Amino acid sequence: MIIRLALGWGAFIATLVAQPFLAAHLPTPALIAVLGAIVAVIIVCAFGVVVEAEHLAHRLGDPYGTLILTLSIVLIEVILISAVMLGPGEHATIARDSVMAVSMIILNLVVGVSLLIGGLRHRDVRANSTGVSTYLSLLVVLGTVAFALPGLIGEGGAYTAGQEIPIIILTVILYVAFLTRQMGAQRDDFKEVVSVGVTGAGVAPQGDDAVARQVKPERASVLAIISEHRSEVIARALVLVMTVIPIVLLSHDMAGLLDDGLDRAGAPIALSGILIAMIVFLPETLTAIRAAIGGEIQRVSNLCHGALVSTVGLTIPAVLVIGLFTGQTVILAENPTNLVLLGVTLLLTLTTFSGKRVTALHGAAHLMVFVLYGMTVFA
């Protein structure tokens, strides 16, 4: 914890001192070295954020704990995208490219690897179907608002100023309603489902009922837990914030160097968004895989599907607000190829999690869709 904080703040001070050199036209080897160092520090700090968020998650329990973890990760992503938008150069599509990359990485790569590992390790793993269905309902609407509608009613793939305001308000209202329900009346829909082979009467069920579905028993209320462990919760929350701040401060330098490096390499413009998504979600990817190894498939869903709902629900309003205040055009409309891949991904997610159990073959199908997405980026 102390090492991560020292590394993050030390790297920020170093970049502050070296600002005149960073502003100059660095040779390509030096550019790669500096960019790699900054990205490495950001990843280390991101792991620190996840560690503290995970401790809070275990202390508070689901869905509150997982929500803290997801919001911490999404906050980092919003910060990085905002830093790129506010940096030098034109970045009209950075939000679209980043959110699309996050969608493909989470829904196909992370879910695919998690289900493949979980399916090979456990014979009977299942998610809470109502919770997954809730996530998918929001993703269908938010995905339409983010990627399809701007190309149909907007101008040049971007919403007009008159359209942006109601889109921002409606998206925020929907997301707040989701959080309210998830933490309140529908919180049981997002809890882990456990399998039991015996009914409450002590008689083994037969046929399709051979495995009964139960949610884990109710924990103490979150307010009671916070009251009992106030010092620990406050301390970990402060450490989490102090670890996030260096990421915010370093992201501006990373954005400028990344833009310069990709331009020199002649790389596809969408690669910038993919790199941001990979940097941000690496810690959560490892968390989801650990949950799959333990057979906690609903936790995998909460981490992945919940993270994507938060990503779209927070990133789109944030970048539209930045566009309004800075006068930048925010192009969100996706090309037909990516829209097809997103539609296939959502349909595949529905079929994967609507069955009685998930298997390794479901994971393999998700991984294939991710490979197809990677092919389109470099096509």
Side-chain angles (χ1 to χ4, degrees):
M1 175 182 69
I2 297 176
I3 294 175
R4 287 193 183 99
L5 286 172
L7 182 63
W9 285 99
F12 166 65
I13 294 171
T15 56
L16 200 62
V17 173
Q19 198 62 48
F21 302 99
L22 295 178
H25 191 77
L26 293 174
T28 300
L31 173 67
I32 294 173
V34 174
L35 179 60
I38 292 177
V39 169
V41 172
I42 288 177
I43 290 175
V44 170
C45 289
F47 270 104
V49 171
V50 171
V51 166
E52 297 305 320
E54 275 194 308
H55 282 298
L56 288 171
H58 287 299
R59 175 62 70 193
L60 300 178
D62 277 335
Y64 309 103
T66 302
L67 183 62
I68 291 173
L69 179 58
T70 353
L71 290 179
S72 302
I73 295 295
V74 172
L75 174 63
I76 295 172
E77 190 205 8
V78 172
I79 289 167
L80 292 178
I81 293 174
S82 302
V84 174
M85 287 185 65
L86 297 173
E90 291 293 327
H91 301 284
T93 63
I94 184 64
R96 179 197 70 188
D97 297 337
S98 296
V99 175
M100 175 55 72
V102 167
S103 302
M104 293 295 107
I105 288 172
I106 289 179
L107 293 180
N108 290 315
L109 179 60
V110 181
V111 168
V113 171
S114 298
L115 295 188
L116 186 63
I117 294 175
L120 291 174
R121 190 176 179 88
H122 304 275
R123 182 184 177 278
D124 184 35
V125 285
R126 59 189 68 197
N128 195 324
S129 57
T130 306
V132 178
S133 173
T134 303
Y135 286 135
L136 283 176
S137 298
L138 269 75
L139 288 175
V140 169
V141 175
L142 292 174
T144 301
V145 169
F147 300 124
L149 212 54
L152 298 174
I153 68 172
E155 296 178 359
Y159 286 118
T160 63
Q163 294 168 341
E164 286 179 340
I165 295 174
I167 289 295
I168 292 169
I169 294 173
L170 290 172
T171 303
V172 170
I173 289 175
L174 179 62
Y175 183 68
V176 170
F178 160 71
L179 289 185
T180 303
R181 297 291 296 181
Q182 185 186 33
M183 293 186 294
Q186 288 186 237
R187 62 183 179 275
D188 286 343
D189 296 338
F190 304 94
K191 291 182 178 179
E192 200 69 44
V193 172
V194 294
S195 301
V196 293
V198 180
T199 63
V203 180
Q206 302 295 321
D208 291 339
D209 296 326
V211 179
R213 290 160 59 82
Q214 297 181 347
V215 294
K216 288 185 176 179
E218 188 72 33
R219 291 163 52 101
S221 72
V222 68
L223 292 179
I225 293 173
I226 292 174
S227 176
E228 183 181 353
H229 304 279
R230 184 183 295 109
S231 300
E232 179 190 352
V233 171
I234 292 175
R236 292 198 181 280
L238 287 175
V239 171
L240 189 150
V241 171
M242 292 300 293
T243 311
V244 166
I245 293 176
I247 297 176
V248 179
L249 300 173
L250 289 169
S251 60
H252 178 75
D253 292 315
M254 187 211 75
L257 294 171
L258 181 61
D259 201 37
D260 190 11
L262 292 177
D263 186 53
R264 294 187 196 185
I269 191 169
L271 196 58
S272 176
I274 294 175
L275 290 174
I276 288 176
M278 291 178 68
I279 290 168
V280 169
F281 280 93
L282 177 60
E284 190 158 4
T285 298
L286 299 179
T287 305
I289 291 173
R290 285 201 300 268
I293 292 173
E296 298 177 305
I297 295 302
Q298 183 56 40
R299 180 161 168 77
V300 171
S301 175
N302 289 341
L303 287 166
C304 295
H305 302 142
L308 189 54
V309 169
S310 298
T311 296
V312 185
L314 293 176
T315 302
I316 299 304
V319 298
L320 290 178
V321 168
I322 291 173
L324 282 173
F325 279 98
T326 62
Q328 294 187 59
T329 300
V330 180
I331 298 176
L332 293 174
E334 264 295 357
N335 59 62
T337 302
N338 281 345
L339 286 177
V340 168
L341 285 174
L342 182 61
V344 168
T345 297
L346 292 173
L347 180 60
L348 178 60
T349 304
L350 175 63
T351 58
T352 295
F353 288 91
S354 60
K356 293 181 179 178
R357 61 192 179 98
V358 295
T359 67
L361 281 176
H362 289 117
H366 282 274
L367 288 175
M368 182 172 178
V369 176
F370 180 75
V371 173
L372 295 175
Y373 167 71
M375 292 171 60
T376 66
V377 172
F378 294 95

